Amino acid sequence: MPVTDKSILSRLYIVAACLVVFAGAVLFKLVSIQVVDGEKYMALAETRTTKMFTIAPNRGNLYSDDGSLLATSVSKYNIHFDAVTVSEKDFKENVKPLSDALAKLFNKESSYYQQLLRKARQNQNRYALIARNLDYSEYMAVKGFPLFKLGPFKGGIVIEQNTKREHPLGKIAERSVGYERVDENGYHTRVGMEGAFSEYLSGIEGKRSKVKIAKNQWKPIGYDNIVEPKDGYDVYSTIDINIQDIAHHALLKQLEKYKADHGSVIVMETKTGEVKAISNLGRTTDGKYYERLNYAIGESHEPGSTFKLVNLVAALEDKVIDTSTVVDTEKGKWKIYNHYVKDSKNGGYGKISVSEAFEVSSNTAFAKIIHNNYKDDPEKYVNRLMSMDVHKQLGLPVKGEGKPVLRYPGDKGWSGLSLAQMAYGYEVAMTPLQTLAFYNAIANDGELIKPRLIKEVKEWNKTVKKFEKEVLNPSICSKETAKKVQQLLKDVVEKKHGTGHGLYSPNFSMAGKTGTCQKNYVSKDPDKLKYISSFAGYFPADNPKYSCIVVIHEPDKSVGYYGADVSGPVFKSIAQKIYATSPLIDEVDVKEVLETRLEDAYQGYYANIQKQYKQVPNVRGMSGMDAISILENLGLEVEVKGNGKVKNQSISKGTDLKKVKKIVLELS
């Protein structure tokens, strides 16, 4: 059929009509997007180009009891350069002066920074890294350099602030100081005091808007934050850094000597429950020691003979014995059912009093005391222990407190041997701190106090919250019983037959109990038999100021394993050094007292030091604290790296003091 002009024209009209309809649809969609869904698509575009980021606040500082820093937040700054926002004129005028200033500050060639900046300009780089991890003074200096001082828009400076947590004491008390970490899923891991008191330390997050630039990088918009972060409160702990240093090094020395697997030591103020030192050291595969886990708080284990104090108090309170009651030690071996209880001394001790049985730590005597007096009513025995709260956790704010184990008759694991085993510290379990809390209660005439790691929370000089002494049990036993066992704890050290007599010193008094506990004793392989050595007590013996426990796991048996030999010397070393730094003073009545003002005394000491030293002294080999004391009193600024004794000093001995302002000590 031939195509006519009329049919062609009709087809053109149809095409034109379709085009008009299509154009109308496009116009309608544009209007719809612009008017109806405009806000929706603008918001979507905004979210793809700008984003709100959180700003971590500075955590509050964690202090020792004298105000020394245990943990602090330090701001670090990264500097980037946005080469696009800077005008050509400003860039040409300032690129060399800026490079010169950067080179001088960071000890590099000016040409290095000129090349870096020009390359960023050429590549239109909006986030070129200039410097990272600057401290505040360095950041302020860079901020005032040529070009950068024009600000983020004209000068192209991009500032990124991060917060880093630092521990001035280094590895000492690391697990007790602790940390808080957040993983990519938002899960918090809280350890030690940092974790326990995070609600005070953490602060409130701020908000800052950033714009998306090339390669999925985000650049802050302007200088100011949308919401300013609020820094955390400062927390003041009970830790005494001098006692902590003493405890750490005393424990470390003994662990190294006995090649032990791990150990812990705690020093606590008797009347208040304030923990003055807590050290936990574990052995690495290469024989070094570090704060691996918080054994003192978290590791529940069989205490061995230190638990005899608990049994002695229970038997005295129930009046089933007295300290003068005579017990036959059965030549050092007593059979109960098919099990033998043995003393460490071959042949035993013969017939001895309860007081002497405690002093020589006779297993047979204590097994007979507890088994024979409670076998017909074992519930009475366990109820007495429960009345003294040895089955309870202390309820510490620090995460991970170990659970004590105290079986009740009828529980799984209870048997006819249980009373005899529990009598000398088996089939029960306590953490070192739980054991220490009991010994501390005896020193306090029966008052059980909750150990405390924190004194107060402050915002600048304002106290936000104060932590007071908390009594868990006002009387775990009568004062009469407490006085009796106090004397026996003293006799363990002072009497020649006492297991702790090797620690005796006529210069200062101590009271305590040794403990030696077998591990893996169910194994028939003697090579698998390991030991836990411990010593718990307090000092001075007659007017206790500090209680202390030392627990050392798996010492080398070829070197020694008894509590008196392994853990006792650590206890003595700590007590001796605390005595040396805090000597006891007898009060006497005098008619006239010559008063010397503290400032005069200090000036006299300072003048004496100045007379002794005209030149920088050699402090290598000294403890860090002693070296710092001498050098600071010479007027020097001292920077310390590491812990322990002085290994190197940045200024050699003999240098004229007038030419020196600062010295750096490297400790090891």
Side-chain angles (χ1 to χ4, degrees), residues 330 333-342 364 417:
E330 302 280 351
K333 184 186 290 187
W334 181 55
K335 185 177 182 181
I336 173 171
Y337 302 113
N338 293 320
H339 176 77
Y340 281 97
V341 177
K342 298 178 182 179
T364 58
L417 292 174

Side-chain angles (χ1 to χ4, degrees), residues 553-660:
H553 285 250
E554 302 179 21
D556 187 333
K557 290 181 290 185
S558 65
V559 184
Y561 57 87
Y562 285 111
D565 301 325
V566 181
S567 295
V570 179
F571 184 99
K572 180 179 179 179
S573 177
I574 292 169
Q576 193 171 25
K577 288 179 180 177
I578 291 177
Y579 266 97
T581 55
S582 305
L584 297 176
I585 300 174
D586 293 329
E587 293 184 1
V588 294
D589 294 326
V590 294
K591 292 183 179 180
E592 294 182 359
V593 178
L594 180 62
E595 296 184 354
T596 304
R597 292 187 299 114
L598 181 62
E599 181 63 22
D600 290 342
Y602 172 77
Q603 292 297 338
Y605 173 69
Y606 182 78
N608 187 45
I609 288 289
Q610 292 285 359
K611 287 179 181 178
Q612 290 183 39
Y613 296 108
K614 298 291 185 182
Q615 301 172 332
V616 173
N618 180 16
V619 295
R620 288 186 179 89
M622 290 187 183
S623 70
M625 288 187 295
D626 291 341
I628 291 169
S629 177
I630 290 174
L631 295 171
E632 285 187 343
N633 281 294
L634 288 172
L636 299 178
E637 179 187 346
V638 183
E639 180 182 338
V640 177
K641 296 180 179 179
N643 299 289
K645 293 184 178 181
V646 179
K647 182 180 178 182
N648 289 309
Q649 58 188 78
S650 63
I651 307 298
S652 59
K653 69 174 183 177
T655 304
D656 191 341
L657 279 172
K658 294 179 181 179
K659 298 179 180 179
V660 183

Side-chain angles (χ1 to χ4, degrees), residues 333-487:
K333 184 186 290 187
W334 181 55
K335 185 177 182 181
I336 173 171
Y337 302 113
N338 293 320
H339 176 77
Y340 281 97
V341 177
K342 298 178 182 179
D343 282 328
S344 59
K345 180 183 177 183
N346 291 328
Y349 305 94
K351 293 181 179 181
I352 56 176
S353 66
V354 167
S355 59
E356 189 175 349
F358 184 77
E359 292 154 12
V360 299
S361 198
S362 170
N363 294 337
T364 58
F366 268 81
K368 292 179 77 172
I369 289 169
I370 299 302
H371 179 80
N372 291 342
N373 286 291
Y374 291 101
K375 62 184 178 181
D376 296 329
D377 190 4
E379 290 85 359
K380 179 182 178 181
Y381 166 71
V382 180
N383 288 337
R384 172 58 68 182
L385 297 189
M386 287 182 170
S387 74
M388 298 188 289
D389 291 337
V390 296
H391 65 302
K392 294 181 180 179
Q393 290 179 295
L394 297 168
L396 303 173
V398 174
K399 302 292 183 183
E401 182 185 1
K403 293 182 179 180
V405 174
L406 181 64
R407 295 190 183 98
Y408 204 79
D411 287 351
K412 183 179 179 180
W414 184 275
S415 71
L417 292 174
S418 292
L419 288 173
Q421 291 278 80
M422 294 167 71
Y424 56 104
Y426 291 86
E427 291 195 24
V428 293
M430 299 174 75
T431 67
L433 187 56
Q434 289 161 0
T435 300
L436 179 62
F438 188 89
Y439 275 74
N440 195 78
I442 296 303
N444 279 331
D445 296 333
E447 184 182 62
L448 179 64
I449 300 173
K450 183 176 181 177
R452 184 156 48 98
L453 287 161
I454 297 298
K455 282 184 153 182
E456 63 180 327
V457 177
K458 298 180 79 173
E459 183 178 24
W460 296 101
N461 293 325
K462 177 186 174 184
T463 298
V464 176
K465 184 173 182 179
K466 204 169 184 68
F467 292 80
E468 304 289 352
K469 169 184 171 181
E470 184 176 343
V471 178
L472 298 176
N473 189 331
S475 181
I476 63 169
C477 64
S478 66
K479 287 190 176 181
E480 179 186 5
T481 294
K483 292 297 181 186
K484 287 181 180 179
V485 296
Q486 284 171 8
Q487 182 60 49

Side-chain angles (χ1 to χ4, degrees), residues 136-151:
Y136 184 75
S137 61
E138 291 172 328
Y139 152 66
M140 290 301 293
V142 172
K143 193 177 171 183
F145 283 173
L147 189 61
F148 284 169
K149 66 183 178 182
L150 300 178

